Amino acid sequence: MKLQRKNRLRATALGVIAVSSALALTACGSDNNSGGGSTGGGGGTTTGAASSVKCDGAKGQLLASGSSAQKNAMDLWVKNYMAACKDAQINYKASSSGDGIVAFTQGTVGFAGSDSPLNAQQVEDSKKVCTGGGQGINLPMVGGPIAIGFHVEGVDTLVLDASTIAKIFNGKISKWNDEAIAKLNPNAKLPDLAIQAFHRSTDSGTTDNLTKYLSAAAKADWPYPPAKKWAASGGQAASGSGDVAAQVKQVNGAIGYFELSYAASQSIKTVDINTGASAPVKATAENASKAIAAAKIAGTGKDLALKLDYTTKADGAYPLVLVTYEIACDKGNKPATLAAVKSFLSYTAGADGQKLLTDASYAPIPAEINAKVIETVNSLS
């Protein structure tokens, strides 16, 4: 694809997302111009969608980066928060989970977003920037389904199971009218068309969660260990969730994976997954919530990393989910940004911030787990 054409596609995709974000903000009532509450920084509150924002002295610039899966939620959160806290500026760079963790362990951001929790080595690395005996901890903030988006002209609905998804992304199924796909879709008119599978080019928590699902639910057909880096040969790569979605939107015969809000904002059709439940499960925030609600806290102390069940067969539970964590120091945060980190994350974890997730096609964190997130955010030092 020529560079000029690619840039036009990217601009179009971002424009659609921006329009979607604006509509979501309107639906949430985030326009604070007519409210009676204070919108000033340094401890004021505001009305509307961000009515629970407490600035608590937050001021200056807070840099953060990482997960692109949560970008659409983060855009809404930042806009609402900065409407309330005029003295604070939140600058979140959506790149990838891997980039965010690197930035955090190098001490260049106040917090990072990652679709996979810190591993043991990353926790050890974080101790260099979390002073006074502190370390990086995982705070689950955003949930949602990883949608398998597809573009096959003439096909409006598509059912796949873990085995066929694994074979498609591993290059073992190369045509849309393959017998395995046809068996799952007896009423579909599947064309004799080459499958063009798109994956992430950079280390990605979305990739990590997809491969955890494939390793758990289709181990015989996915011979690679779960990882943020794409391991299978073949396919085509794109740099972020937005770029993968743009390619799927454009290319007939394409399939890719990305957070549901990218599919919703660009009207991309998504795969229903046959899990062995009574009916195939659609990629919706509600169905993802059913799967995430069964998650268990695997972290210790203030670390709230979760263990997800990717092999669930519960009716209506969508198994291919991710949880995006905000990663911060439990103690030893930089004094200049501590107030902003606590204030902003308190808003995102609070009732208004979590309600916004549903409106934007994400899944809120289950209440029992979220209560612990709020408690932990309040304890950051």
Side-chain angles (χ1 to χ4, degrees):
M1 182 181 292
K2 293 182 179 180
L3 180 60
Q4 185 177 7
R5 185 182 179 193
K6 184 174 181 180
N7 287 337
R8 285 201 304 269
L9 288 173
R10 185 175 296 178
T12 299
L14 290 175
V16 173
I17 291 170
V19 170
S20 174
S21 296
L23 289 173
L25 281 168
T26 301
C28 291
S30 62
D31 184 353
N32 297 310
N33 294 331
S34 60
S38 168
T39 58
T45 60
T46 187
T47 60
S51 60
S52 63
V53 172
K54 295 182 179 179
C55 303
D56 291 336
K59 60 183 179 180
Q61 185 179 61
L62 172 60
L63 300 179
S65 67
S67 166
S68 65
Q70 70 170 351
K71 178 186 183 301
N72 296 339
M74 189 62 70
D75 286 348
L76 302 180
W77 280 335
V78 168
K79 185 169 184 177
N80 280 353
Y81 180 83
M82 288 175 58
C85 301
K86 303 293 187 181
D87 295 337
Q89 180 180 359
I90 311 297
N91 187 340
Y92 181 84
K93 179 182 178 182
S95 51
S96 70
S97 298
D99 288 347
I101 290 174
V102 169
F104 179 74
T105 56
Q106 290 180 346
T108 60
V109 295
F111 71 89
S114 176
D115 306 319
S116 298
L118 296 171
N119 60 36
Q121 183 57 57
Q122 291 163 346
V123 171
E124 192 63 28
D125 292 342
S126 73
K127 294 178 181 179
K128 300 173 185 177
V129 296
C130 300
T131 58
Q135 67 179 47
I137 57 172
N138 303 286
L139 302 170
M141 198 68 68
V142 181
I146 299 174
I148 304 293
F150 70 96
H151 178 180
V152 182
E153 292 179 5
V155 179
D156 293 326
T157 60
L158 186 69
V159 176
L160 298 176
D161 57 16
S163 175
T164 54
I165 294 170
K167 289 176 181 177
I168 287 170
F169 283 106
N170 195 27
K172 302 302 182 183
I173 293 178
S174 59
K175 290 290 189 75
W176 279 109
N177 62 348
D178 186 274
E179 182 181 354
I181 301 176
K183 185 176 180 180
L184 291 165
N185 299 273
N187 298 320
K189 295 182 179 180
L190 298 168
D192 183 11
L193 177 68
I195 294 174
Q196 298 193 52
F198 287 88
H199 58 265
R200 293 284 291 274
S201 61
T202 55
D203 286 6
S204 159
T206 310
T207 296
D208 192 29
N209 283 277
L210 171 70
T211 56
K212 284 177 179 176
Y213 164 71
L214 295 177
S215 294
K219 189 173 182 61
D221 301 306
W222 189 257
Y224 315 102
K228 294 178 182 178
K229 185 177 181 63
W230 189 255
S233 60
Q236 301 182 57
S239 62
S241 291
D243 287 338
V244 173
Q247 295 294 337
V248 173
K249 177 74 172 179
Q250 175 68 17
V251 178
N252 185 30
I255 189 169
Y257 58 95
F258 32 80
E259 193 279 325
L260 179 63
S261 70
Y262 289 93
S265 65
Q266 299 187 53
S267 300
I268 297 172
K269 297 166 187 172
T270 60
V271 168
D272 300 343
I273 296 183
N274 183 339
T275 64
S278 62
V281 186
K282 294 185 177 298
T284 68
E286 180 182 6
N287 291 344
S289 292
K290 292 179 182 178
I292 295 172
K296 306 296 183 184
I297 294 177
T300 58
K302 293 184 178 182
D303 184 81
L304 300 177
L306 302 178
K307 181 177 177 59
L308 299 169
D309 180 8
Y310 296 100
T311 62
T312 179
K313 294 182 179 180
D315 284 348
Y318 186 82
L320 182 44
V321 296
L322 62 73
V323 170
T324 300
Y325 300 89
E326 312 310 338
I327 296 171
C329 296
D330 57 355
K331 57 182 179 179
N333 288 277
K334 294 179 180 179
T337 56
L338 174 60
V341 169
K342 293 180 68 173
S343 172
F344 181 68
L345 296 185
S346 291
Y347 163 58
T348 63
D352 284 348
Q354 290 292 297
K355 178 184 181 301
L356 181 148
L357 294 178
T358 302
D359 298 335
S361 298
Y362 292 90
I365 299 301
E368 181 179 351
I369 296 171
N370 193 55
K372 296 180 180 180
V373 173
I374 294 172
E375 179 183 353
T376 302
V377 170
N378 289 335
S379 74
L380 298 180
S381 62

